[in-house]
Amino acid sequence: MTTFDVLETRGTGALLRFVGAVALFAVLQLMRIPLGLLLQVITGVMSRVDGYAVTQVSRSPRGPINHFAYTPTGREARP
C-alpha cells in the first residue's frame, strides 16, 4: 500500500498519525543511543570502584588493629 493509497482510503488524519508515530519512534531510538553509552560508562566506573573497595577490605592489616593501645614510643602495650 502506497502513501497515496493510505491517503485515499484512510484520510489525511490517519496518514499524519502514522507519520507522527514513525517520527516519535525514530526520536526515541536516537535518544536511546547516548543513554546507552552513559550506562556503559557508569557500569565501568562502578566496576572499578567495586574492585578498589574489595581490594581495600580484603587486604590484611599492616599493624595492630587496636590503635588506642599504643604507647608513646609506638609499640603496642601488652597487659
Side-chain angles (χ1 to χ4, degrees), residues 2-78:
T2 66
T3 306
F4 296 112
D5 292 338
V6 172
L7 185 61
E8 185 178 319
T9 57
R10 309 274 180 172
T12 307
L15 183 62
L16 289 176
R17 285 192 303 270
F18 175 74
V19 169
V22 169
L24 179 64
F25 178 79
V27 167
L28 290 175
Q29 289 296 324
L30 290 174
M31 285 176 48
R32 200 179 101 188
I33 293 170
L35 293 176
L37 292 175
L38 180 64
L39 178 66
Q40 291 295 321
V41 169
I42 290 173
T43 302
V45 170
M46 287 178 66
S47 175
R48 289 184 145 215
V49 169
D50 181 52
Y52 177 77
V54 167
T55 302
Q56 295 301 315
V57 169
S58 62
R59 185 182 302 168
S60 60
R62 295 181 182 171
I65 297 174
N66 188 358
H67 296 290
F68 298 106
Y70 283 119
T71 60
T73 61
R75 295 186 179 157
E76 186 176 6
R78 302 215 180 240

